[in-house]
Amino acid sequence: MAMGADRSKWTTRDVAEYNKLVLTSDPLSYDTMKTVVMRSLWFSPLHTLRGLRSYLKAMEFSERLQLEAAALDERAEGTDFRIPFFVFQGDSDVLTPPAPARRFFDDVTAPVKEFALIRDASHFASFRHPDRFLDLMLTHVRPAVTAQPAAR
């Protein structure tokens, strides 16, 4: 793979390969993908083998969007929100590191905002620790959303 250091020259395939390398070289992310994400799909009574195949094909399809996502400048899109803003992620996230996520969060103005790290989790924090993620959703998001006046 010769993707080079200049990310602006990366192809969709380069971005996908980079993400795959990062996730599979991180023991916590790899274990979560293997034992939580894939196992839950594999043993789910709601998924068929054909459905799993479709899921994997959808992952390939979404790779087309990765160049656009990688080039997105969140600050240029704006940091002033009129809606609640939440960032809940793993404290060891290798794809979206907590420090830059926190810096962006700190720049955001919103009527309600909350930043929380889920301990012992990487990129798939909500899958790794669904109980902790649900608790954050119920204690922070639900009250903020139900307290907001209806949109006009």
Side-chain angles (χ1 to χ4, degrees), residues 75 79 85 97-108 113 115:
R75 283 175 181 77
T79 57
F85 180 78
R102 180 64 198 219
R103 284 192 300 273
F104 178 73
F105 173 85
D106 289 343
D107 289 344
V108 167
K113 69 180 197 173
F115 182 92

Side-chain angles (χ1 to χ4, degrees), residues 51-62:
L52 290 176
R53 184 171 165 246
S54 296
Y55 172 82
L56 295 173
K57 284 284 188 197
M59 294 296 290
E60 288 177 22
F61 176 79
S62 68

Side-chain angles (χ1 to χ4, degrees), residues 28 89-92 116-122 125 128-129 132:
L28 186 55
Q89 70 175 77
D91 65 350
S92 301
L117 295 176
I118 299 173
R119 286 182 323 118
D120 303 319
S122 186
R128 184 79 179 183
H129 297 294
R132 296 180 198 167

Side-chain angles (χ1 to χ4, degrees), residues 29-44 47 52-53 55-56 59 124 127:
S29 295
Y30 184 70
D31 183 65
T32 303
M33 283 189 315
K34 189 173 65 175
T35 62
V36 180
V37 178
M38 293 310 293
R39 188 176 289 165
S40 66
L41 289 170
W42 186 258
F43 292 109
S44 168
H47 293 86
L52 290 176
R53 184 171 165 246
Y55 172 82
L56 295 173
M59 294 296 290
F124 304 102
F127 291 98

Side-chain angles (χ1 to χ4, degrees), residues 1-76:
M1 176 171 45
M3 62 180 67
D6 184 356
R7 289 185 180 208
S8 68
K9 294 186 166 100
W10 285 9
T11 66
T12 300
R13 175 56 58 206
D14 292 337
V15 174
E17 285 300 314
Y18 173 81
N19 289 344
K20 182 179 177 181
L21 284 170
V22 168
L23 289 173
T24 57
S25 64
D26 173 56
L28 186 55
S29 295
Y30 184 70
D31 183 65
T32 303
M33 283 189 315
K34 189 173 65 175
T35 62
V36 180
V37 178
M38 293 310 293
R39 188 176 289 165
S40 66
L41 289 170
W42 186 258
F43 292 109
S44 168
L46 303 175
H47 293 86
T48 62
L49 288 177
R50 182 173 289 138
L52 290 176
R53 184 171 165 246
S54 296
Y55 172 82
L56 295 173
K57 284 284 188 197
M59 294 296 290
E60 288 177 22
F61 176 79
S62 68
E63 287 177 1
R64 299 179 200 168
L65 303 174
Q66 290 184 8
L67 279 179
E68 290 178 38
L72 181 69
D73 179 0
E74 291 86 359
R75 283 175 181 77

